[in-house]
Amino acid sequence: FIVVRSATCIWCDKLETEVLPDLKKKYPVEIENGGHGATSFPTILFLIDNKEQWRTTGYTSLETLEKLAAGTH
């Protein structure tokens, strides 16, 4: 996963404290400030072999991220 955030994003902070610690137990997670064509924050990208499989924007629950990742093969 790559999480694209901005320094002033409250929802990014919430995602980092409530969701990412558990997500990091199962998946590699990188946090970046801006980039990847993101126009809203947070933007969460899921990659396989460095190729984007999907992206979602806004605060997203751990359950939703795990379901999305499990459905990507």
Side-chain angles (χ1 to χ4, degrees):
F1 285 93
I2 296 177
V3 178
V4 184
R5 63 160 297 137
S6 75
T8 58
C9 172
I10 294 170
W11 288 105
C12 298
D13 294 337
K14 186 173 176 70
L15 184 74
E16 282 190 50
T17 59
E18 295 180 2
V19 176
L20 296 187
D22 289 327
L23 189 65
K24 287 178 179 181
K25 293 176 184 175
K26 296 182 179 183
Y27 300 95
V29 177
E30 294 179 29
I31 300 170
E32 299 182 3
N33 288 309
H36 296 279
T39 57
S40 62
F41 303 101
T43 295
I44 303 164
L45 294 84
F46 183 74
L47 290 81
I48 295 177
D49 296 328
N50 291 321
K51 294 180 183 171
E52 183 178 326
Q53 302 299 305
W54 52 261
R55 69 172 53 202
T56 187
T57 59
Y59 179 88
T60 308
S61 71
L62 176 64
E63 179 180 313
T64 298
L65 291 173
E66 289 178 328
K67 285 180 182 177
L68 288 168
T72 305
H73 296 284

